[in-house]
Amino acid sequence: MEKRIEQIRESERQSYIEMYSSEELYKTHSWMKKPIKTIQELIPLFEKNQELKV
């Protein structure tokens, strides 16, 4: 079971890498054409930091 979960997580990770690597941000044809409002509001709070750990 644990091996199966690891395979699922790895597959999901690869999927996200591919998806975010191939999409162009803020393009009208893209599903990521507009930043999420919450993210836009949070970015200024982190701009002073050199390194973030989430």
Side-chain angles (χ1 to χ4, degrees):
M1 175 97 165
E2 190 171 313
K3 184 174 180 165
R4 177 74 178 136
I5 292 172
E6 288 176 27
Q7 289 173 333
I8 291 169
R9 287 181 178 158
E10 179 60 23
S11 177
E12 184 176 28
R13 185 178 78 80
Q14 290 299 326
S15 173
Y16 280 116
I17 288 172
E18 183 178 325
M19 178 175 52
Y20 286 109
S21 296
S22 65
E23 287 290 336
E24 291 184 61
L25 293 175
Y26 315 128
K27 298 291 181 180
T28 57
H29 66 277
S30 171
W31 66 272
M32 296 189 296
K33 67 183 176 183
K34 183 177 177 187
I36 298 170
K37 184 179 179 193
T38 303
I39 300 300
Q40 288 180 304
E41 292 170 352
L42 289 173
I43 288 175
L45 300 175
F46 296 105
E47 287 180 338
K48 296 181 228 169
N49 299 304
Q50 293 291 319
E51 182 179 335
L52 295 175
K53 294 183 181 179
V54 180

